[in-house]
Amino acid sequence: MTSIDLIIFDCDGVLVDSEIIASEVEAELLTESGYPISTEEMAERFAGMTWHNTLLAIEKEADIPFSASMLSKVEAILDKRLAEDLNIIDGVKPMLAQLTLPHGICSNSTSARLASMLAKVGIKDHFGKHIYSARDLGEDKVKPKPDIFLHGAKQFGVHPSRVLVIEDSVHGIHGAIAAGMRVVGFTGASHTYPSHADKLTEAGAETVISRMSALPGVIAALSEWSETLTA
């Protein structure tokens, strides 16, 4: 194990409580379109995936063709709901104030949505230029592919093995592991479900936390453990 020089946060479901809103909107539209699914199942199966890739997965599974308008319809409804109802994850601001390591965001959300969400909850300026969208790299580069994580590490000039990622989804963890990074799972958002922590651990998270207040201590402990192993 190497020491930790950089923290990369996912955004949705880690910094902002947006996954539950997305799951509600998407489940409602899918149900109306002939694919009955609950908000809870939506969150468990598809959190961390883009809406485009979610539709592709469901079309393949259920052989239900969705209209092209489903893509834009969800985005419009979701943007409105996020502008009205989005909240920051409890404990994020005090946690960020305690962090001493460099840190940034790597997300599947678009740059425009990231800017809007982070500004609404008051932490956009904290991250400055270090807010990166996988969509800017290309629709074929989104998580669970590792590209956005590798891109983020490159911007800081940090080797992937020295990066710790904070993720709430199995898909995100798979991407971080594929990038050669260490991962802490997070289950403190509203879309969490009973087996959430187990699934994040099975995906490769070294540990899982449910409160952001625990993160600084976990980072310190993981760093100390790495130094002990390499001493």
Side-chain angles (χ1 to χ4, degrees), residues 19-108:
E19 287 287 7
I20 189 64
I21 298 173
S23 294
E24 289 171 356
V25 170
E26 292 165 2
E28 184 175 340
L29 283 178
L30 285 170
T31 299
E32 289 174 358
S33 300
Y35 185 81
I37 187 170
S38 67
T39 297
E40 293 74 21
E41 185 182 356
M42 195 77 209
E44 182 172 352
R45 293 183 58 194
F46 301 111
M49 289 179 66
T50 63
W51 177 232
H52 175 76
N53 284 348
T54 297
L55 288 181
L56 289 178
I58 292 173
E59 283 184 336
K60 185 176 181 180
E61 170 198 317
D63 196 27
I64 299 175
F66 294 112
S67 66
S69 65
M70 278 282 281
L71 283 172
S72 57
K73 188 175 183 181
V74 158
E75 298 300 336
I77 296 171
L78 185 51
D79 280 336
K80 185 174 186 295
R81 282 286 311 278
L82 290 171
E84 294 171 350
D85 301 334
L86 183 69
N87 293 308
I88 195 167
I89 296 290
D90 285 347
V92 162
K93 286 185 178 180
M95 175 275 296
L96 291 175
Q98 291 181 59
L99 281 190
T100 57
L101 289 171
H103 47 280
I105 295 171
C106 290
S107 171
N108 270 353

